[in-house]
Amino acid sequence: MPEIQIDRFAQQFPNKYNPPSYAYVPAPSTFFAILGGTFAALSTVTAKLTVSSPPTYLVQLTNALHATHSTHIIRILMVSATIVCNVFMWLFFTKALRFGDSTPRVMMMQTAANFAVTAACGVYVFGDALSVQWWMGASLIGAGLVALNVERPEFECEGADHAMGIDEESKKSK
């Protein structure tokens, strides 16, 4: 294991208080959360391809390679892809949590990315039609995610004495 250099500690171990200086990423937590959501959606797509009949273009590809058991090869590839996508999803999710300042924000970004990529894959890979009901449901879930993520003003808990109507002066007179 390489030695930790105290003068370069900030560059070696970036975190939310000391973000890395990526020139192309304005907010690393957002970037990693979107990647995590994308891999989560791709994991579900590959899992669906594993258990359903394989698309014709994959069968044609394996037939072009003169594979004798093309269905088995496709299923093994899809199971492997599902595992790899899950590993990358968790990797990017934990990186987003590491760089993020709020767990709900990271989860909101990952869920939104998951919805968008799942919808796109449903339309382009599986030929699904997105109904008005789907759009309404996705909108309600998105609004719920935003509502959960809204900044709430901090309130000061004044204690049980304040709730019971006991002020400081009445406590002193007793």
Side-chain angles (χ1 to χ4, degrees):
M1 183 165 171
E3 184 178 327
I4 296 174
Q5 300 169 355
I6 300 300
D7 58 333
R8 295 190 52 223
F9 186 79
Q11 287 107 10
Q12 289 177 329
F13 300 100
N15 57 36
K16 67 181 176 183
Y17 303 111
N18 180 29
S21 56
Y22 297 126
Y24 57 93
V25 180
S29 66
T30 302
F31 176 72
F32 291 131
I34 290 172
L35 278 176
T38 301
F39 278 105
L42 292 176
S43 174
T44 59
V45 168
T46 56
K48 186 173 180 178
L49 289 173
T50 301
V51 296
S52 65
S53 60
T56 55
Y57 57 87
L58 287 177
V59 173
Q60 291 172 354
L61 176 66
T62 55
N63 289 339
L65 297 173
H66 302 292
T68 56
H69 300 288
S70 62
T71 306
H72 298 298
I73 292 171
I74 291 172
R75 290 195 196 284
I76 290 170
L77 288 174
M78 290 298 122
V79 167
S80 302
T82 302
I83 292 169
V84 167
C85 286
N86 274 310
V87 167
F88 278 116
M89 181 267 300
W90 281 109
L91 172 81
F92 289 125
F93 179 64
T94 54
K95 272 188 169 278
L97 287 175
R98 180 178 173 199
F99 289 114
D101 58 346
S102 168
T103 301
R105 284 191 184 124
V106 170
M107 292 177 71
M108 182 184 78
M109 289 304 299
Q110 184 156 347
T111 303
N114 190 342
F115 262 68
V117 174
T118 300
C121 288
V123 170
Y124 295 114
V125 175
F126 300 111
D128 294 343
L130 300 179
S131 65
V132 173
Q133 183 180 8
W134 187 92
W135 285 107
M136 293 299 292
S139 299
L140 287 174
I141 291 172
L145 289 171
V146 170
L148 286 174
N149 197 32
V150 170
E151 294 282 335
R152 293 185 184 92
E154 293 294 324
F155 64 92
E156 185 176 318
C157 182
E158 298 183 15
D161 290 339
H162 177 73
M164 307 241 344
I166 302 172
D167 58 351
E168 292 295 322
E169 291 181 23
S170 65
K171 284 170 78 176
K172 290 178 186 176
S173 64
K174 290 184 181 179

